[in-house]
Amino acid sequence: MDAERKAHIADLAVMAGPVWAESHDGGALQEFLKEIGCDGVDAVMVTRQVVGCSLGEAQEMFFTAPCRAAELAFHNAVMEGLERSQGDV
């Protein structure tokens, strides 16, 4: 990850910190990140920094948040396609 992206994620983590501190609610944190346009890998990295959790825990918080249902559906569709393609080899 380049320095500019690291700085951007750090800035977003500073913005998101009070949301987490107020509620300790992963869904509320993801809703805030979505509202400010922080999605995908960046949202997972910000979550990891703000919550102080592992990458796996941050991914779980991202994918299980109700506001991330579209991302979860896309992820599941891609994984199912990969699994099907493995049977074709």
Side-chain angles (χ1 to χ4, degrees):
M1 187 179 322
D2 64 25
E4 185 177 331
R5 189 165 184 198
K6 283 183 184 178
H8 179 66
I9 289 171
D11 290 344
L12 292 171
V14 168
M15 293 172 58
V19 175
W20 177 252
E22 182 179 308
S23 66
H24 287 1
D25 179 350
L29 176 60
Q30 292 308 313
E31 186 68 41
F32 173 78
L33 293 174
K34 188 172 183 80
E35 287 175 6
I36 64 170
C38 181
D39 297 304
V41 173
D42 286 354
V44 172
M45 298 306 290
V46 170
T47 299
R48 188 172 181 210
Q49 281 191 23
V50 169
V51 177
C53 62
S54 71
L55 178 59
E57 291 167 325
Q59 288 173 321
E60 182 177 347
M61 196 175 294
F62 176 84
F63 282 122
T64 60
C67 68
R68 302 291 189 182
E71 290 92 336
L72 178 59
F74 177 78
H75 170 78
N76 287 341
V78 168
M79 296 308 292
E80 289 170 10
L82 286 172
E83 289 172 1
R84 280 194 305 274
S85 73
Q86 293 299 312
D88 295 341
V89 177

